[in-house]
Amino acid sequence: MRKTLLTLVALFTLLVPLLAACGGQPAAVQPTATTAPTAAPTAVPTTGTTDSSKPRIALVTDLGKVNDGTFNEFAHLGALRAAQEFGLEYKYIETQAQADYEKNIQTFVDEGFDVIVTVGFLIADATKKFAAEHPDIIFIGVDQFYEPGTVTDNLVGLQFREDQAGFLAGALAGMMTQTGTVGVVAGVEIPPVKRFKNAFDNGARYVKPDINLLGVYLPTFIDPALGASTAQQMIGEGADVIFGAGGPTGSGAIKEAAARGVYVIGVDQDEYVTTFANGTAPGADRILSSAIKRVDVAVYDQIKAVVNGTFKGNGIALYEAANGGIGYADYHDTADDVPDAVKRRMEEILAALTTGELTTGVDPVSGDVDPNTIPEPQPFRPADVKLPKIALVTDLGKVNDGTFNEFAHLGALRAAQEFGLEYKYIETQAQADYEKNIQTFVDEGFDVIVTVGFLIADATKKFAAEHPDIIFIGVDQFYEPGTVTDNLVGLQFREDQAGFLAGALAGMMTQTGTVGVVAGVEIPPVKRFKNAFDNGARYVKPDINLLGVYLPTFIDPALGASTAQQMIGEGADVIFGAGGPTGSGAIKEAAARGVYVIGVDQDEYVTTFANGTAPGADRILSSAIKRVDVAVYDQIKAVVNGTFKGNGIALYEAANGGIGYADYHDTADDVPDAVKRRMEEILAALTTGELTTGVDPVSGDVDPNTIPEPQPFQP
């Protein structure tokens, strides 16, 4: 993190004048005349007896006092805590005018203090100057940025993760809005302000994906009237929570909004104390909280490091949730307005940011939105919201038969257990029972019905149209987007990626240099399997001899078997079956003849080879599988979270865990470790998108433009 901050050094240099009006500058304190007298140092009593061998601590405030609720007070509290805990001498000076910065620092230099804390970026130049002149004194600059490696080892600037604080503010706004519209009145569009605003947006969407977000950057930090008029406009557009992130401009916005009865959220410090005068100013009963930088924690931490001999200067120290550097302020007068469920969720979100389990979706340096780290929404559900009841209708078979039935059941069961849902299933005995079984769950009032297999697709589509209040999830069912109701989704899978993996495995395991595919009817999903198998085999073995054929039926095992026999006669020593029972007939025959085989869709070691008890089970290398369990769980989770999208298909691929390959089972010792490692690498490359299959994921045709350059396997 600290390394990435280097990329903004030049930008920060240019932005220092702009920053002077944002964040750490106290909104309510105006500079006094330069002729104002300098305050005398104030000694602070500490517990116990100070030790002359220990460092003496001093603090120079920004304009203002150590009880003004700004960074001054937080820095003072951090220094005071350290002084009391470690028995240190501690004094401070409350700066009266900007012209006094150097004079105040000089006072403590002359008095022989070992550590001098200075508050705010306006005092940064003076701090840097004195640090260079006095290498024996440690300087700690609050909210000050210094390029690492360009300052002396006795100087550190304290920086904070505004994106995490902004995310917390957004989450609170998203849970407290009643209109579904919230707004941000932000200052100049510079990195720290972008971090606040963009993360606020992401935090609001995290708890309320359909939220309406209003937000604007304003060209100044010091125009409260402009902030107020902007807030008025947002309120006119329906905003009932407004976040101010722009110095006095933002404070003007939240004062105006609060006066109009709208909830507001402050920034940097606890604005209940500052902007709302510790609860005495109008509107104090409408400030929910503030997105705060824990300056007290950072100052204490740095003084502790000095005491412990672990202080590191020469740049910046970054404070974030993980080290207690950011957080949110007390709810104060709105404590009774904020439901307990919201308070608990805020604690959970802060905890997840602290552990790193949750990211903000914002680049912590530039402040730009980072699409790769935007967290998946976890909508806030008040305690009185009813959770959905889940039902599953299998295809012919049972929930432990190793087919899509079992995988769908496992996905539904996982979701039910994780989210505390009621869950039932019916095991279909005959195709004629499809509609009757679905009707059973409709009559019992289930909210989500999962149906398995393409044979049940017509019945699923019919019931979805008749019952728009029930969500239907069809496993391995295709519905043209826009032609079905919004409560219906068909789960589709990237057969080309699964086929590519199968081809790569075959290409690495063949000894004769010849492999084959026994495929079913030449339709897109089968073409995706077969063409990608060929490309995967060539990817690892460019000179491979490929045999393959489409057969006119999916339900003729004998035809599959005779086709496999022919391929074996032509030298194939690995055969992939991709054609339902026809393909299964092919791999059973090939395995019985001692040839390696690869299954399809589900783990055929479990199904076709009866969990290892059928002849030939010791010859099945793996299966190219569709992770139906992942897809079903994912869709039910979307229902629970309020992010379900119907009216077509949901595509599952390597990137979302939707495809893969099965365990090696009885052939685990036959497959060299080098092959296993290469398979893991190929799956990882498909997952990241670094590797393409060379097959159109819709039509199944070979796409010459995306065929990957061969990377031959070297045992």
Side-chain angles (χ1 to χ4, degrees):
M1 186 67 68
R2 297 181 183 183
K3 290 181 180 179
T4 58
L5 283 168
L6 289 172
T7 61
L8 282 180
V9 168
L11 184 58
F12 267 82
T13 302
L14 294 173
L15 292 174
V16 166
L18 287 173
L19 284 167
C22 177
Q25 175 73 14
V29 180
Q30 298 299 322
T32 58
T34 57
T35 57
T38 301
T42 301
V44 181
T46 58
T47 57
T49 303
T50 58
D51 184 341
S52 61
S53 67
K54 294 180 179 180
R56 301 168 66 218
I57 311 299
L59 180 141
V60 177
T61 73
D62 200 350
L63 300 177
K65 297 181 179 296
V66 295
N67 63 352
D68 61 9
T70 70
F71 284 175
N72 289 325
E73 181 168 349
F74 287 121
H76 166 66
L77 291 175
L80 181 61
R81 175 188 168 197
Q84 292 174 336
E85 185 169 320
F86 303 115
L88 313 177
E89 180 183 348
Y90 167 51
K91 288 184 180 180
Y92 62 83
I93 292 177
E94 294 175 327
T95 300
Q96 306 298 311
Q98 291 184 25
D100 295 335
Y101 287 148
E102 291 198 14
K103 182 164 51 175
N104 291 346
I105 296 173
Q106 185 67 56
T107 296
F108 288 131
V109 169
D110 294 341
E111 293 187 9
F113 278 82
D114 304 292
V115 179
I116 300 176
V117 181
T118 64
V119 181
F121 38 78
L122 290 177
I123 199 174
D125 289 342
T127 304
K128 183 178 180 180
K129 170 189 171 184
F130 275 88
E133 293 173 351
H134 301 279
D136 55 329
I137 301 175
I138 289 174
F139 288 83
I140 300 167
V142 173
D143 215 31
Q144 297 171 22
F145 180 88
Y146 303 106
E147 180 186 354
T150 65
V151 293
T152 48
D153 291 338
N154 60 324
L155 172 61
V156 68
L158 309 185
Q159 291 285 299
F160 300 84
R161 283 284 299 271
E162 290 92 352
D163 60 305
Q164 293 182 331
F167 191 93
L168 287 161
L172 179 58
M175 291 187 283
M176 289 299 293
T177 179
Q178 297 296 310
T179 65
T181 297
V182 301
V184 185
V185 178
V188 180
E189 190 175 358
I190 58 176
V193 180
K194 290 168 65 179
R195 290 194 285 269
F196 271 128
K197 180 185 178 299
N198 288 336
F200 176 91
D201 291 349
N202 287 351
R205 291 193 190 98
Y206 179 67
V207 297
K208 189 174 176 62
D210 61 347
I211 199 166
N212 181 32
L213 294 164
L214 307 177
V216 63
Y217 294 104
L218 298 178
T220 173
F221 291 110
I222 55 173
D223 192 339
L226 177 59
S229 62
T230 304
Q232 291 171 12
Q233 182 178 342
M234 290 182 178
I235 293 168
E237 296 179 45
D240 63 347
V241 183
I242 289 180
F243 176 44
T249 303
S251 297
I254 66 173
K255 284 180 70 174
E256 175 67 21
R260 292 173 174 264
V262 168
Y263 282 130
V264 299
I265 300 172
V267 78
D268 276 348
Q269 57 253 351
D270 187 347
E271 290 205 61
Y272 175 88
V273 176
T274 54
T275 301
F276 292 95
N278 208 27
T280 63
D285 61 340
R286 304 305 289 172
I287 181 167
L288 293 169
S289 182
S290 297
I292 61 175
K293 302 175 182 177
R294 291 295 306 273
V295 170
D296 56 330
V297 170
V299 169
Y300 167 83
D301 181 69
Q302 289 299 314
I303 295 175
K304 180 181 178 180
V306 174
V307 172
N308 291 343
T310 57
F311 174 83
K312 294 180 180 178
N314 197 7
I316 62 170
L318 182 65
Y319 285 85
E320 55 190 338
N323 55 13
I326 65 93
Y328 55 95
D330 190 89
Y331 301 109
H332 295 296
D333 294 349
T334 58
D336 291 339
D337 298 357
V338 180
D340 288 342
V342 172
K343 293 174 182 175
R344 286 193 298 271
R345 186 68 187 279
M346 288 294 289
E347 292 169 0
E348 293 167 359
I349 291 172
L350 178 56
L353 289 171
T354 300
T355 62
E357 175 188 350
L358 179 62
T359 56
T360 66
V362 171
D363 186 284
V365 179
S366 69
D368 295 326
V369 173
D370 180 356
N372 297 319
T373 62
I374 294 176
E376 183 180 355
Q378 301 290 328
F380 174 66
R381 302 183 67 88
D384 58 349
V385 174
K386 173 178 167 288
L387 291 172
K389 296 168 58 181
I390 312 297
L392 180 141
V393 177
T394 73
D395 199 352
L396 300 177
K398 299 183 179 294
V399 296
N400 63 351
D401 61 8
T403 69
F404 283 176
N405 290 325
E406 181 168 349
F407 288 120
H409 165 66
L410 291 175
L413 182 61
R414 176 188 167 197
Q417 292 174 337
E418 185 168 320
F419 302 115
L421 313 177
E422 180 181 346
Y423 169 53
K424 289 184 179 180
Y425 60 83
I426 292 176
E427 295 174 325
T428 300
Q429 305 300 309
Q431 290 185 26
D433 295 335
Y434 286 150
E435 292 198 12
K436 180 173 61 176
N437 292 346
I438 296 174
Q439 185 67 55
T440 296
F441 288 130
V442 169
D443 294 341
E444 292 184 9
F446 279 81
D447 305 291
V448 179
I449 300 176
V450 181
T451 64
V452 181
F454 50 80
L455 292 177
I456 199 174
D458 289 341
T460 304
K461 182 177 180 179
K462 170 189 171 184
F463 275 88
E466 294 173 352
H467 301 279
D469 56 328
I470 300 174
I471 289 174
F472 289 83
I473 300 168
V475 173
D476 213 32
Q477 297 170 23
F478 180 85
Y479 304 105
E480 183 180 352
T483 64
V484 294
T485 48
D486 289 339
N487 60 324
L488 172 60
V489 69
L491 308 185
Q492 290 287 298
F493 300 84
R494 283 285 299 272
E495 289 92 354
D496 61 305
Q497 291 182 332
F500 191 93
L501 287 161
L505 180 58
M508 290 186 284
M509 289 299 294
T510 180
Q511 296 297 310
T512 64
T514 297
V515 300
V517 185
V518 178
V521 179
E522 190 176 358
I523 57 176
V526 179
K527 290 168 65 179
R528 290 193 287 269
F529 270 129
K530 179 185 178 299
N531 288 335
F533 176 91
D534 291 350
N535 286 350
R538 291 194 190 97
Y539 179 68
V540 297
K541 189 174 178 61
D543 60 348
I544 197 166
N545 181 31
L546 294 165
L547 308 176
V549 63
Y550 293 105
L551 298 178
T553 175
F554 290 109
I555 54 173
D556 191 340
L559 178 59
S562 63
T563 304
Q565 291 171 13
Q566 181 177 342
M567 290 182 178
I568 294 168
E570 296 179 43
D573 62 347
V574 183
I575 289 180
F576 176 44
T582 302
S584 297
I587 65 173
K588 283 180 71 174
E589 175 67 21
R593 292 173 174 265
V595 168
Y596 282 130
V597 299
I598 300 172
V600 77
D601 279 347
Q602 58 255 347
D603 186 348
E604 290 204 62
Y605 176 88
V606 176
T607 54
T608 301
F609 292 95
N611 208 26
T613 63
D618 60 341
R619 304 306 288 172
I620 180 167
L621 292 169
S622 183
S623 297
I625 60 173
K626 302 175 182 177
R627 290 295 306 274
V628 170
D629 56 331
V630 170
V632 169
Y633 166 83
D634 182 69
Q635 290 299 314
I636 295 175
K637 180 180 180 181
V639 174
V640 172
N641 289 345
T643 58
F644 174 83
K645 294 180 181 179
N647 197 8
I649 63 170
L651 183 63
Y652 286 85
E653 55 189 339
N656 56 14
I659 65 93
Y661 55 94
D663 190 88
Y664 300 109
H665 296 296
D666 293 350
T667 59
D669 291 338
D670 298 357
V671 180
D673 289 342
V675 172
K676 293 174 182 175
R677 286 193 298 270
R678 186 68 187 279
M679 288 294 290
E680 292 170 0
E681 292 167 359
I682 291 171
L683 178 56
L686 290 171
T687 299
T688 62
E690 176 188 351
L691 179 62
T692 56
T693 66
V695 171
D696 186 285
V698 178
S699 68
D701 294 328
V702 173
D703 180 357
N705 297 320
T706 62
I707 294 176
E709 183 178 353
Q711 300 290 327
F713 174 65
Q714 301 288 339

